[in-house]
Amino acid sequence: MAPQAPVFRPQVEFVPNHLVWAILSTLFCCWPLGVVAIVYATRVDARRAGGDVAGAWDASRKARLWAMWSALSVLILFAGIMLLAAIDGAFK
C-alpha cells in the first residue's frame, strides 16, 4: 500500500454564529425575533464553509442583532407592564 499524500485544507477564518444565544432568546424571550436570529445563525457556517467570509460575518452580525432585540424586547415589555401597574396603583 502506497503512502498517501497529506490533504491540505485552507484555513478559514472563525466567525461566531451566535446559535446558542438565538435558541435561548427564542425559548425564553420573544420567539418571532428569536426565529429570525436562528435563521441567520444557521447561515453563518454554510457561508463560511462556502468561502464567503464576508457573507458569514454579515449573517453573524444579523444573528447577534436579532437575538439581542429578542432579549431586549422582554425587558422592555416587563418595564412597560411595571410602569402601567405603577400608574394604576397596583403597588400600594
Side-chain angles (χ1 to χ4, degrees):
M1 183 171 202
Q4 295 185 357
V7 177
F8 294 105
R9 295 186 182 128
Q11 292 293 327
V12 179
E13 180 180 355
F14 173 74
V15 181
N17 61 11
H18 305 289
L19 185 60
V20 173
W21 193 17
I23 291 171
L24 291 176
S25 67
T26 302
L27 293 176
F28 299 116
C29 300
C30 181
W31 67 267
L33 300 178
V35 169
V36 177
I38 289 175
V39 168
Y40 280 113
T42 56
R43 290 181 182 176
V44 172
D45 292 330
R47 289 184 179 181
R48 187 181 64 211
D52 183 13
V53 177
W57 275 110
D58 184 52
S60 174
R61 183 186 58 81
K62 289 179 181 177
R64 185 185 69 225
L65 180 73
W66 283 101
M68 181 179 60
W69 278 110
S70 176
L72 287 176
S73 68
V74 169
L75 296 175
I76 292 169
L77 181 65
F78 182 72
I81 290 172
M82 288 295 123
L83 179 66
L84 289 175
I87 291 172
D88 188 41
F91 295 120
K92 288 184 180 181

